[in-house]
Amino acid sequence: MNLEAWGWNSSLKENFNIYESQDLIPGRIVRESRHIYTLVTSGGELSCEVSGAFHYRAAGPSDYPVTGDWAAVRQASEDQGIIEALIPRQTEFSRQTAGNRSDKQVLASNIDSIALVFGVNGGRNFTESGLERYYTLARHSGAEIFVLLNKADLCSSEERQRAVEQAEKSAPGAEILLVSAITGEGLENFPQKEGKTIALTGPSGVGKSTIINALAGNELQKTGHQREHDKRGRHTTTSRELFQLPSGALFIDTPGLRELQLWGEESDVESAFEDIRSLAAGCRFSDCSHEGEPGCAVQKALEEGDLDERRYTSYSKLKKEMRFLKTRQDEQAARAEREKWKDIAKIQKEYKKQRQ
């Protein structure tokens, strides 16, 4: 099997060199289900688990393999293998895990592009604030970003135009494509390159799987009918899988995200709200919070109607979430450090007792 067709490149090969002397082979994870990973290798597909040493080294959930990862594998039989290590990720799309801990959950890795998919036929599929949240996370990934406004065939010309304008304001710098997975409209403008990986993400029921089927020309993914009461498609994708399309492009279909906790830095919010960052350059104080300081250019733009109040509110909310995330991360790291030294002290105490 030609690994270059699955995204293998010189940078990955260079990082894999340290494993060649250990009788390991490279493979890419194309499916994951309950800690069982399917990998493509030069010799075919392998079903793999991680090794005991891998478990021991893993510090948290984000250290475990995800769809899109490249791994160093020890082949155990014709169709079985053991994952010994991951080759460093070149890019990743991540969010914060739900719950009381501030851990990272990697949704897809080694992606060249990420497509944020929304349905624009009414209901709760598409909101400007929702797109701004996805766009902020996507900026942190390091991948090229597209916004696919799906189900255009179910919209009037006025609704289509309004959706495009809203998306352009909410995701400045991203390429906006109005598409229909059913009729094929606009999909010819979605770039597909052999060996390049594109991740599709977005809320449940917006047609991600249907888009992949349309691009592939056959049904690779199971799809469901739209519900009438909220205009959403039925949730059908339950795991992340990487597909190779006839064009040679690689697509990762992800389950719809019901909760999208932020992960990243405050700078990701700034880059996602380039219009507000440009305004902030005119503030009197370099550390202006844009919440009432004298000489604030952002507040002035709000007063004069040059900045939309809704967009400013979304910006402020995401900034506060990022600050809260950083605080929780610092507190979590401090707790872990205290626990580490408690364990060391306990071990030293036991050692002294044994020496007496």
Side-chain angles (χ1 to χ4, degrees), residues 132-143:
E132 285 160 351
R133 178 174 288 270
Y134 273 92
Y135 187 54
T136 299
L137 276 181
R139 294 286 295 192
H140 187 70
S141 73

Side-chain angles (χ1 to χ4, degrees), residues 154 227 316 344:
L154 301 177
R227 300 183 307 216
S316 298
I344 290 174

Side-chain angles (χ1 to χ4, degrees), residues 231-253:
K231 305 297 184 184
R232 286 191 176 185
R234 299 183 187 277
H235 179 78
T236 54
T237 303
T238 57
S239 62
R240 297 170 189 90
E241 187 165 357
L242 188 151
F243 298 94
Q244 188 179 56
L245 270 59
S247 64
L250 306 167
F251 279 79
I252 297 178
D253 189 12

